[in-house]
Amino acid sequence: MKVEVKNLCFSYGNTPIVKNVSFTAQEGQLVAVLGANGAGKTTLFRCMMGFLKAKQGEILLDGQEVGNIDRNAFAALAAYIPQTSVPVFNYSVYETVLMGTTGQLSPLRAPGKAQHETVREMLRLLDMEALSERGITRISGGERQLALIARALAQKAKLLVMDEPTANLDYGNQHRVMQRIRALADNGYCVLLSTHNPEHALRYATHILALQEGKVCAFGKTEEVLDSTLLQSLYSIPATIMEIDGIGRCIVHR
Amino acid sequence: MRKTELSKPRSYRMRFAALSAVLLAVLLGSAMLGRFPLSLREIGNLLFSGLSGTEGTWKDGAQKVFFEIRLPRIAAAALVGAGLSLAGVSYQGMFRNPMVSPDILGASSGAGFGAALAILLGAGYFGISLIAFCFGLAAVFLAWVISRFSKTNQTLAMILAGMMTSSLFSAGTSFVKLVADTQQQLPAITYWLMGSLASIKKTDVLFLLIPTAIGALPLFFLRWRMNLLTLNEDEAKSMGVNTGLLRVIVIVCATLLTASGVAVSGMIGWIGLVIPHFCRMLFGYDYRRLIPGSVLFGAAFLVVVDDVARLATTSEIPLGILTAFIGAPIFFYLILTGGASRES
């Protein structure tokens, strides 16, 4: 899986949101998209998923332009994981994950044996088997986020696009979910996630894409790009990165 | 773990079997009951001879009562009940709101206005149904066209446009009542709007059967995808669902079901709102089970309500009154308990 974004521009009416963004990502990478509120993170993701049509520029998934890929083929290439919200209908975790297999079916078909097998495999992968019959609105936010990740995995897509996967999660769940996501990248998925927490980026991301007012202000390997200058320009607070013995690099601010 | 996975589908199968048995018992019981009671043996003989063309033995007049009056009425009640509850469960998923009912886009108000207009113009019984049906479709089409002009969220625009056309057609109905002749037409309109299956004939059942089948079959075949329609638009699209097309199919089907039901039976509320909640209690949230479940449950429910309507007192009680008297307390219970909830 290779993602190439070239000179992407997008505006809502006359307001430009994404300005000339270019970057590439591939399997094995976890790219954290950083930026203040309104920097264009969500809009970038929505363009990449084909929900929004870019004005200018290209988005290629494995060399194919996003706009030219048909729906089912797209579902097999890229999966989208929205922010956790409590759904209206209390589907079981199993049913929720099963929905991810829909792209593998023709319109009038319901999931069959192969799809059920996929669901069991993904639930096993994320250690969620014990929750499979629980209602999705009755489990914790962290568990719900993992269920949505399992649903994305059931799509069998290699690109996972996650919009703030740790928003609304408590401290422990944030780290448990991030560890799972990093493990997926290590197992050959290409993960793109937006986050408001630079510590998550520092600890778990292989690459950083920093956006400021719709433009790329930094892109590269985490250890090369994420430094105090970037943190200060992104968040306007005096933060710095310190090496702590036995723990590694940490963000601290005065 | 294995055990729960294996036992789940079986328990739903048991519930489907039980619900089907209840529906069958309700249908048979309703066929027996009436001012002209029929025994089970007579019904068996009548059905057998009706199907095979041979002679059987039954009381004088039984054949006429059974085939001309009772069977059409029971069939119509079952079809209308199934159709309204199916339309309700589909709309609730599509609008991601369990408090939505089939008349949300104005199908009932449109049909009500059509019926009132037809009565004013002196149309016959079949004419009233036909005009009511056409106006029901027209009201929803109008709401849909209006919502297309909106630049905001399509779902919200559709609900608002539905409210608008509903109130427009309700006002139209009031106007028709105002100008109607108070001796004959006004009572006829009022009584029609309260809902009744008292004057159902064989031809009405056929008239009802066609749009009901056309509306129900696509929903049945698309029942898995209906689940994804309950998710946020972007999520559903990213999983390979053509949400725009699916939504149009659901609207067309649910409108056919609602408009044809209301056209034949008059305004019957509550079924499309309340029955889906019971079905979720019995079958969970998966539309693979909810769609067939709501058909069985809705059919059984309206047949029972119609039995009460024709048997409880010497004169007919309008169905709209009964379903509200039964539906409102149930709804109160749902408000108290927070709707159908999965304990786990």
Side-chain angles (χ1 to χ4, degrees), chain B residues 114-150:
Chain B
L117 193 66
I119 294 169
L120 184 74
L121 298 175
Y125 182 78
F126 187 74
I128 296 172
S129 296
L130 191 65
I131 295 171
F133 179 63
C134 294
F135 270 91
L137 298 188
V140 176
F141 184 70
L142 186 65
W144 184 76
V145 169
I146 292 168
S147 76
R148 300 303 289 180
F149 286 109
S150 161

Side-chain angles (χ1 to χ4, degrees), chain B residues 80-159:
Chain B
V80 172
L84 287 176
S85 109
L86 185 53
V89 80
S90 306
Y91 271 158
Q92 288 176 1
M94 192 188 102
F95 288 109
R96 297 177 203 113
N97 185 340
M99 295 298 159
V100 157
S101 67
D103 42 15
I104 179 130
L105 295 182
S108 298
S109 319
F113 172 75
L117 193 66
I119 294 169
L120 184 74
L121 298 175
Y125 182 78
F126 187 74
I128 296 172
S129 296
L130 191 65
I131 295 171
F133 179 63
C134 294
F135 270 91
L137 298 188
V140 176
F141 184 70
L142 186 65
W144 184 76
V145 169
I146 292 168
S147 76
R148 300 303 289 180
F149 286 109
S150 161
K151 290 194 168 45
T152 58
N153 177 333
Q154 275 296 306
T155 312
L156 182 66
M158 216 128 55
I159 293 180

Side-chain angles (χ1 to χ4, degrees), chain B:
Chain B
M1 205 56 253
R2 267 242 83 89
K3 210 175 159 220
T4 59
E5 269 176 30
L6 285 175
S7 63
K8 269 272 166 179
R10 197 177 304 151
S11 76
Y12 286 125
R13 225 168 280 157
M14 282 295 294
R15 286 172 190 196
F16 269 113
L19 188 55
S20 307
V22 168
L23 176 60
L24 196 66
V26 164
L27 291 176
L28 277 177
S30 306
M32 291 161 69
L33 293 172
R35 227 134 284 153
F36 190 107
L38 293 168
S39 71
L40 209 52
R41 176 185 290 274
E42 280 170 319
I43 290 171
N45 284 342
L46 283 162
L47 279 176
F48 181 74
S49 78
L51 290 172
S52 63
T54 54
E55 290 287 313
T57 48
W58 47 71
K59 289 194 281 281
D60 283 344
Q63 193 169 15
K64 192 169 167 53
V65 166
F66 185 70
F67 284 111
E68 302 293 323
I69 300 166
R70 201 162 294 163
L71 201 58
R73 183 162 183 169
I74 293 168
L79 285 171
V80 172
L84 287 176
S85 109
L86 185 53
V89 80
S90 306
Y91 271 158
Q92 288 176 1
M94 192 188 102
F95 288 109
R96 297 177 203 113
N97 185 340
M99 295 298 159
V100 157
S101 67
D103 42 15
I104 179 130
L105 295 182
S108 298
S109 319
F113 172 75
L117 193 66
I119 294 169
L120 184 74
L121 298 175
Y125 182 78
F126 187 74
I128 296 172
S129 296
L130 191 65
I131 295 171
F133 179 63
C134 294
F135 270 91
L137 298 188
V140 176
F141 184 70
L142 186 65
W144 184 76
V145 169
I146 292 168
S147 76
R148 300 303 289 180
F149 286 109
S150 161
K151 290 194 168 45
T152 58
N153 177 333
Q154 275 296 306
T155 312
L156 182 66
M158 216 128 55
I159 293 180
L160 293 175
M163 284 168 70
M164 197 200 89
T165 50
S166 283
S167 87
L168 203 65
F169 280 106
S170 300
T173 307
S174 298
F175 184 75
V176 171
K177 281 177 163 177
L178 188 71
V179 298
D181 144 44
T182 50
Q183 293 302 309
Q184 304 252 307
Q185 291 169 336
L186 187 58
I189 293 172
T190 310
Y191 192 73
W192 190 95
L193 288 175
M194 286 193 278
S196 171
L197 290 167
S199 33
I200 284 288
K201 294 178 195 66
K202 266 195 215 161
T203 46
D204 300 311
V205 177
L206 204 64
F207 173 76
L208 185 59
L209 186 65
I210 295 163
T212 304
I214 296 174
L217 285 175
L219 292 174
F220 180 78
F221 285 113
L222 288 164
R223 62 197 188 284
W224 168 252
R225 283 189 179 230
M226 302 273 296
N227 287 319
L228 283 95
L229 218 48
T230 69
L231 306 173
N232 135 1
E233 181 93 20
D234 285 351
E235 288 177 80
K237 272 189 195 158
S238 74
M239 285 184 260
V241 176
N242 186 343
T243 49
L245 179 64
L246 189 52
R247 191 163 293 144
V248 169
I249 294 174
V250 171
I251 292 174
V252 170
C253 292
T255 303
L256 281 173
L257 293 170
T258 311
S260 61
V262 174
V264 167
S265 64
M267 302 279 236
I268 301 177
W270 293 98
I271 290 180
L273 180 63
V274 171
I275 300 300
H277 285 276
F278 280 111
C279 293
R280 286 194 193 94
M281 287 179 186
L282 281 175
F283 301 113
Y285 289 77
D286 192 333
Y287 274 84
R288 284 177 300 172
R289 300 185 298 266
L290 270 183
I291 296 272
S294 59
V295 166
L296 296 175
F297 207 129
F301 181 78
L302 195 57
V303 172
V304 171
V305 172
D306 189 49
D307 286 344
V308 177
R310 65 189 169 98
L311 299 172
T313 60
T314 45
S315 63
E316 288 263 346
I317 307 171
L319 281 176
I321 296 177
L322 280 177
T323 52
F325 272 140
I326 298 168
I330 293 172
F331 203 62
F332 178 63
Y333 168 77
L334 290 172
I335 293 168
L336 288 185
T337 57
S341 44
R342 197 188 280 261
E343 316 78 59
S344 54

